[in-house]
Amino acid sequence: MLTYAYDVQNVELQESVNGEDVEFRIRLIGDASLDERMRNIQKDFEQNDVLTDVMSYAFKNRTYQFIVRKDFYVDFVLSLMKYRILLRVEWDQ
């Protein structure tokens, strides 16, 4: 199982299973650089060859919704880490 940690001072993150997908709702509280990082995550998944891996939606209140196919869950979490939305990612036994 993959676990992660994030800075609750800068990010609110909710994860829920929705059928064959995992839904992430992420609200940014910290500085504006976080918004650019979220846009980079969106771009990464929009520009790859798989159209249905991650669907993303941006809302006016700095909230983002991502619907992630379960087979792309690890890729998405690692992308959150790559762009420093997460502080730590680790495998649990």
Side-chain angles (χ1 to χ4, degrees):
M1 178 180 195
L2 195 60
T3 60
Y4 52 81
Y6 55 92
D7 183 354
V8 296
Q9 301 287 325
N10 290 313
V11 176
E12 292 176 358
L13 190 150
Q14 298 173 330
E15 176 185 338
S16 60
V17 175
N18 185 4
E20 292 300 312
D21 301 320
V22 179
E23 182 176 328
F24 289 84
R25 287 194 72 82
I26 302 170
R27 182 171 172 267
L28 304 177
I29 305 165
D31 65 60
S33 72
L34 291 168
D35 294 289
E36 181 63 29
R37 295 180 212 170
M38 293 302 286
R39 285 190 290 275
N40 287 333
I41 293 168
Q42 289 176 302
K43 287 177 195 174
D44 281 357
F45 287 100
E46 288 171 359
Q47 294 175 353
N48 69 12
D49 293 335
V50 183
L51 296 176
T52 60
D53 55 352
V54 176
M55 305 299 287
S56 61
Y57 306 93
F59 300 96
K60 290 183 181 180
N61 61 353
R62 299 182 75 202
T63 299
Y64 297 81
Q65 178 185 20
F66 295 93
I67 301 172
V68 180
R69 276 187 7 201
K70 284 186 179 176
D71 53 332
F72 283 90
Y73 177 84
V74 172
D75 294 353
F76 181 74
V77 170
L78 291 177
S79 184
L80 291 173
M81 182 66 184
K82 173 182 174 182
Y83 289 104
R84 298 176 321 189
I85 302 299
L86 301 178
L87 299 174
R88 181 178 59 250
V89 176
E90 62 188 11
W91 291 105
D92 278 348
Q93 297 297 325

